[in-house]
């Protein structure tokens, strides 16, 4: 069984100070995708290149202390792709793809950190630009390979994906346009005139837990008693091509320790990189 975890760290140094590495030693994932490193290459050198026996690969933002994604893997990738071809968002360190290609299959594991629009209109517009650029990228990628995109998508797709959906319908992360983008990505609205008509990704957690509500949340605001009262959002996903999604067997969201304002989400896949 291949154990794949995703976690927004809200700062790798902060998460490490809260026991991340010892948890990874116990948890023993085969691969973990991390987001929001908030670190530069110099900060990672000599300290974070390897965690719990896994080799790290990183795509840092140009801006110090901002964004950045990484993947730690026990298996050696055949190639590493930094960014997805967007000058604006590659500079923010939001996409890292590890390829594990063999003579019979092409498989990628992607760590991706979607922008948040919660700070204001300017960043919400940036988020919409990101979605508009990510969509065709994933369409093209799926034509040539299977993949699992893990990451903080910063969108709660359905009403069951957040505690207070009624009061959040005009807030970033639950806007109708964002939710529609997710629906299209997941093939919920088939329209032969649109490019996603021939493409469908799978929300793997929802495949395994189609009706989970309170147990599904992966992020809690630091304001008030959101965590204590489980006033949360499901923002962290495994989005997989159908043939890989079919290999998913078990899911878990770890909440016994708190490494950041997000919880790690783990899905176990049967023979993920051995087919």
């Amino acid at each position: 069984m291949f154990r794949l975890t995703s976690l927004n760290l809200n700062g790798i140094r902060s998460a490490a100070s809260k026991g991340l590495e010892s948890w990874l030693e116990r948890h023993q994932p085969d691969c973990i995708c991390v987001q929001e490193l908030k670190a530069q290459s110099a900060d990672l050198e000599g300290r974070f290149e390897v965690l719990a026996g896994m080799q790290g690969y990183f795509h840092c933002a140009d801006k110090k202390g901002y964004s950045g994604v990484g993947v730690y893997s026990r298996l050696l990738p055949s190639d590493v792709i930094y960014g997805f071809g967007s000058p604006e968002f590659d500079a923010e360190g939001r996409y890292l793809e590890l390829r594990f290609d063999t003579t019979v299959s092409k498989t990628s594991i992607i760590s991706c950190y979607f922008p948040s629009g919660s700070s204001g209109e300017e960043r919400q517009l940036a988020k919409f630009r990101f979605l508009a650029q990510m969509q065709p990228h994933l369409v093209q990628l799926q034509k040539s390979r299977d993949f699992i995109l893990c990451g903080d998508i910063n969108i709660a797709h359905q009403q069951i994906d957040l505690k207070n959906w009624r009061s959040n319908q005009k807030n970033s992360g639950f806007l109708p346009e964002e939710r529609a983008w997710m629906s299209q990505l997941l093939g919920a609205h088939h329209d032969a005139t649109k490019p996603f008509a021939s493409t469908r990704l799978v929300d793997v957690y929802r495949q395994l837990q189609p009706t989970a509500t309170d147990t599904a949340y992966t992020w809690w605001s630091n304001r008030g008693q959101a965590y204590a009262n489980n006033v949360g959002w499901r923002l962290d996903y495994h989005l997989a091509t159908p043939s890989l999604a079919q290999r998913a067997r078990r899911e878990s969201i770890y909440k016994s320790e708190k490494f950041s304002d997000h919880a790690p989400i783990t899905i176990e896949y049967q023979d993920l990189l051995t087919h």
Side-chain angles (χ1 to χ4, degrees):
M1 205 68 77
F2 188 94
R3 184 175 289 177
L4 177 59
T5 298
S6 185
L7 172 62
N8 179 312
L9 300 170
N10 196 16
I12 191 168
R13 287 163 288 194
S14 172
S17 73
K18 296 171 183 173
L20 174 66
E21 195 164 8
S22 62
W23 176 71
L24 289 173
E25 292 281 4
R26 301 192 308 274
H27 177 58
Q28 286 291 302
D30 294 285
C31 183
I32 178 170
C33 297
V34 293
Q35 303 87 42
E36 210 167 357
L37 295 169
K38 292 186 176 180
Q40 311 304 118
S41 297
D43 303 315
L44 301 169
E45 288 170 8
R47 173 63 183 94
F48 293 113
E49 291 104 331
V50 177
L51 279 184
M54 295 177 287
Q55 180 64 50
Y57 305 85
F58 311 102
H59 185 206
C60 300
D62 293 347
K63 181 180 174 181
K64 286 188 176 181
Y66 181 73
S67 189
V69 293
V71 179
Y72 287 93
S73 174
R74 297 193 191 283
L75 297 178
L76 188 68
S78 55
D79 199 5
V80 181
I81 310 298
Y82 302 88
F84 66 104
S86 165
E88 178 181 6
F89 296 109
D90 288 351
E92 294 184 359
R94 295 190 176 275
Y95 181 98
L96 182 68
E97 177 184 347
L98 267 58
R99 294 184 170 179
F100 300 89
D101 293 358
T102 69
T103 54
V104 295
S105 67
K106 292 182 177 180
T107 306
S108 291
I109 293 175
I110 300 163
S111 182
C112 195
Y113 178 38
F114 284 42
S116 168
S118 59
S119 64
E121 185 179 2
E122 182 181 344
R123 287 309 295 171
Q124 185 61 46
L125 291 173
K127 185 177 186 178
F128 285 138
R129 289 196 300 276
F130 181 91
L131 296 180
Q133 293 173 44
M134 181 55 65
Q135 183 186 35
H137 170 73
L138 295 178
V139 170
Q140 284 302 119
L141 194 65
Q142 189 169 356
K143 289 178 180 178
S144 62
R145 61 180 48 250
D146 281 313
F147 62 84
I148 302 172
L149 184 151
C150 291
D152 177 1
I153 307 301
N154 265 313
I155 300 171
H157 181 214
Q158 303 174 79
Q159 293 174 3
I160 59 173
D161 291 326
L162 71 167
K163 188 72 168 183
N164 295 323
W165 69 267
R166 285 184 180 86
S167 60
N168 279 294
Q169 293 176 83
K170 294 183 179 179
N171 290 335
S172 181
F174 199 61
L175 295 174
E177 301 94 325
E178 298 170 338
R179 298 171 62 204
W181 185 90
M182 283 291 295
S183 292
Q184 191 179 40
L185 190 74
L186 302 173
H189 302 294
H190 183 86
D191 183 343
T193 66
K194 293 184 178 178
F196 257 82
S198 60
T199 305
R200 179 179 70 89
L201 295 183
V202 178
D203 179 349
V204 183
Y205 179 86
R206 276 288 168 235
Q207 174 183 272
L208 297 170
Q209 293 286 352
T211 61
T213 54
D214 291 8
T215 57
Y217 306 146
T218 62
W219 175 82
W220 300 262
S221 169
N222 287 319
R223 293 194 292 270
Q225 294 293 311
Y227 188 76
N229 297 323
N230 199 27
V231 180
W233 296 54
R234 186 172 77 97
L235 298 180
D236 301 87
Y237 292 75
H238 287 222
L239 302 176
T241 51
S243 64
L244 297 187
Q246 290 171 6
R247 298 174 178 272
R249 297 293 180 266
R250 285 190 294 272
E251 88 300 324
S252 61
I253 297 172
Y254 181 75
K255 301 175 185 177
S256 298
E257 296 171 84
K258 204 165 183 281
F259 310 115
S260 79
D261 51 353
H262 291 253
I265 176 170
T266 299
I267 294 176
E268 296 184 24
Y269 297 86
Q270 184 79 44
D271 302 326
L272 183 67
L273 297 179
T274 58
H275 61 292

